[in-house]
Amino acid sequence: MIQHTNATHGSNLGIDAQALWSDLMQTARFGGTPKGGIRRLTLTAEDKLVRDWFVQTCEELGCTVTHDSMGNQFARRAGQDNSLPPITIGSHLDTQPTGGKFDGILGVLGGLAVLRALHRAGYVTRHPIELINWTNEEGSRFTPPMMCSGVFTGVFTEQEVLDKRDRAGLRFGDELEAIGYRGSEPCGQHPVTAYFELHIEQGPILEAEGKTIGIVTGVQGARWYEVTVRGKDAHAGSTPMPMRHDALLAAARMIEAVSTVAVSHAPSAVGTVGLIENRPNSNNVVPGEVFFTIDMRDPDDAVVAQMEEELYSLLPEIAQRSGVTLEIVRIWDAPAVHFDPACVDMVETAAADSGYGARRIVSGPGHDAAYMARITPTAMIFVPCADGLSHNEAESITEQDAEAGAGILLKTVLKADAVFNAR
C-alpha cells in the first residue's frame, strides 16, 4: 500500500456515492419486508447474514475483521503507526421489528464508504481506523438498548447482558453463540482514540430548515420502565361493570397519564408507551393482566426526574381507583450526554469547509455514541430523513444526503487523525 501525506493527497479523497447507495440497498435484502423496510432483530438468522456480509466486504478492502465477547464487530484498517489506539467510527446493523433501511445502517455503511475512499486513494492515516458494528443497539428484542456498547464502556456487566432473555424466553448468550459471533476478546478491552457516528436524524428539524448536516452536541436523557397491571380474569357476559377488576381499562388510563405528564413538560419532553401485552387476550374475557413499557425523555435530567416522580404518583392512584395492583420497574436510566467540544468543532469545521447548510442539534434518540462519550472523545453527524420518520418501514433519505454525511465523516476522521496523539 502506498503511503501518502494528508497535505498532499487529502483533497483527492472522496466518497463513492454509487457504491454507498448500492451497499444500503444490498444489505436491505437481509430481513427485507414486503413494505420496503427491514426486520433484522439482533442475533437472528438475518443478523448473521448481514454480519457475514460485513466481514467479507471489509476484508475485500484490506481490513482485518474481529469480534469481541459481545459480538461487537471491528473492521481495522492499518495506519502508519499501529501502536496508536484507533480512531473509531460506526453504528449498528440491527433494526426494529418494522424498521427502515437507514437507522444505524447508514452509520455502518457510511463508515464503510470512508474505508473504501481511503483504500481507493491508497491513503494511510497515522492512526489505524476501525469501523464498528455494535450488537443490539435497538433493544427491541433484548432490552435495554445500546446493550453491547454499554458493556464495552462499563455501563453493564458482560454476565448480566449474557443472561438477558427476550419475550420468548430465549437467552442472549445462547443466541449469540448460535449465530457464531461470540468472540474471545473480552468486551471493553479494546483501546480507542476517539469515536464518530453518522446517523439519520430520526426527527424533522433538518428537513424543515433545509439543512444537510446536523452537528450533534449531545443526547437527551431517557428512562425506560416496565409496568405490570394485575386485575382479575372474568367472564365478559356475566360480570357486572361495578364488580370488574379490568387490568386493560386501568392500563389505558395509565397510558393516558404518560401522555399527560409529557405534555405538561412541553415542548422538549416526550413520553411513549410502545409495547403492550394483554392477557388472556380473549374477546369474551375481562382482561386480568396487562404488561406495557414507558419511555420518557428530555434534554434536562431534572425534567426526566420530575416526570418520573409524577408517574410514580399518578399510576398508583389510577390502580387504586381501578381495583387493580401495579408493579412499575425502571429498567434503563440514560442521563443526558454532552459530546466532546473539540470533536463537535471538527464536525462543524468539516461541514463549513464542504459548504453544506448545517446546524447544531441535540439528539432525541439514544445512540451507541452516548455510551462511547463516557470513555473517549466522541461526536455525531446527522443527515435528514423524509418527514422525520424513523423506526418505520417507510423511512427514507436521499442518495445525496447519504453521500454528504459520509463525506463529512471522512473529513472529520482526517481532522481527528491529524489532531489526536500529535507529536
Side-chain angles (χ1 to χ4, degrees):
M1 182 181 292
I2 300 173
Q3 295 190 0
H4 295 314
T5 65
N6 292 358
T8 304
H9 293 275
S11 61
N12 295 330
L13 288 167
I15 296 298
D16 185 336
Q18 185 175 2
L20 171 56
W21 196 256
S22 175
D23 287 343
L24 288 164
M25 296 305 107
Q26 184 175 357
T27 53
R29 298 180 304 170
F30 303 122
T33 65
K35 292 183 179 180
I38 304 175
R39 178 184 174 88
R40 191 162 61 221
L41 302 182
T42 193
L43 310 188
T44 59
E46 294 78 17
D47 188 22
K48 173 176 170 51
L49 287 173
V50 78
R51 286 168 173 269
D52 293 346
W53 178 93
F54 177 84
V55 172
Q56 178 181 344
T57 305
C58 291
E59 287 180 344
E60 289 172 355
L61 295 176
C63 296
T64 302
V65 186
T66 60
H67 54 272
D68 67 16
S69 56
M70 290 288 99
N72 299 316
Q73 292 180 283
F74 304 86
R76 181 183 180 95
R77 188 175 193 273
Q80 295 178 21
D81 184 353
N82 289 309
S83 69
L84 294 174
I87 294 172
T88 56
I89 53 181
S91 196
H92 61 97
L93 292 173
D94 67 315
T95 76
Q96 290 288 322
T98 52
K101 297 186 182 75
F102 307 101
D103 171 12
I105 302 158
L106 176 64
V108 176
L109 301 187
L112 181 62
V114 168
L115 298 181
R116 184 178 288 116
L118 296 171
H119 180 74
R120 290 178 56 178
Y123 185 97
V124 182
T125 52
R126 286 192 313 116
H127 296 77
I129 306 297
E130 286 192 354
L131 172 59
I132 307 175
N133 171 35
W134 297 107
T135 300
N136 193 39
E137 191 275 350
E138 291 291 0
S140 56
R141 182 181 179 196
F142 298 94
T143 59
M146 296 124 64
M147 189 178 280
C148 294
S149 59
V151 175
F152 189 87
T153 57
V155 177
F156 310 118
T157 68
E158 182 170 313
Q159 194 59 50
E160 70 178 307
V161 170
L162 291 173
D163 288 337
K164 291 285 184 180
R165 293 183 183 271
D166 64 12
R167 299 298 295 167
L170 298 174
R171 182 175 172 272
F172 182 99
D174 296 335
E175 297 297 278
L176 181 61
E177 293 275 6
I179 66 166
Y181 273 95
R182 183 161 189 209
S184 59
E185 178 184 272
C187 184
Q189 296 185 14
H190 198 98
V192 298
T193 288
Y195 178 75
F196 298 95
E197 183 168 350
L198 169 64
H199 211 280
I200 61 172
E201 181 193 350
Q202 300 181 280
I205 296 173
L206 295 178
E207 183 182 52
E209 296 185 1
K211 306 295 188 185
T212 303
I213 299 296
I215 304 151
V216 188
T217 59
V219 179
Q220 69 178 346
R223 292 184 184 180
W224 281 17
Y225 310 86
E226 290 183 344
V227 181
T228 304
V229 181
R230 294 184 177 91
K232 186 176 183 180
D233 300 3
H235 197 290
S238 56
T239 308
M241 298 301 290
M243 299 180 67
R244 296 185 178 201
H245 301 273
D246 189 331
L248 183 56
L249 179 60
R253 292 167 176 159
M254 294 175 188
I255 292 167
E256 183 179 30
V258 171
S259 178
T260 299
V261 168
V263 169
S264 72
H265 293 277
S268 56
V270 292
T272 305
V273 172
L275 184 155
I276 184 167
E277 295 176 352
N278 178 52
R279 304 183 184 98
N281 211 34
S282 174
N283 65 334
N284 63 341
V285 178
V286 177
E289 182 175 301
V290 172
F291 172 89
F292 65 94
T293 62
I294 302 174
D295 178 326
M296 304 294 281
R297 308 187 192 213
D298 191 89
D300 186 339
D301 288 333
V303 173
V304 178
Q306 178 62 33
M307 289 196 293
E308 177 178 277
E309 184 177 334
E310 292 171 18
L311 279 179
Y312 279 26
S313 174
L314 288 172
L315 268 56
E317 291 177 5
I318 294 170
Q320 185 176 18
R321 291 199 315 267
S322 303
V324 298
T325 63
L326 169 71
E327 179 184 349
I328 178 169
V329 179
R330 186 208 295 163
I331 61 167
W332 187 47
D333 183 3
V337 174
H338 303 283
F339 289 143
D340 179 74
C343 289
V344 172
D345 287 345
M346 290 178 196
V347 175
E348 191 163 45
T349 301
D353 290 347
S354 299
Y356 292 118
R359 63 159 287 169
R360 292 196 169 207
I361 191 170
V362 174
S363 175
H367 302 282
D368 295 303
Y371 283 156
M372 287 297 284
R374 298 184 179 210
I375 66 166
T376 194
T378 296
M380 290 189 73
I381 301 159
F382 276 174
V383 295
C385 51
D387 299 322
L389 190 65
S390 184
H391 285 190
N392 188 301
E393 291 162 292
E395 182 181 271
S396 178
I397 68 172
T398 68
E399 184 174 344
Q400 293 74 24
D401 286 344
E403 177 187 8
I408 296 302
L409 181 62
L410 172 60
K411 289 179 181 293
T412 302
V413 165
L414 294 178
K415 290 178 184 294
D417 185 49
V419 170
F420 286 107
N421 309 113
R423 295 176 177 176

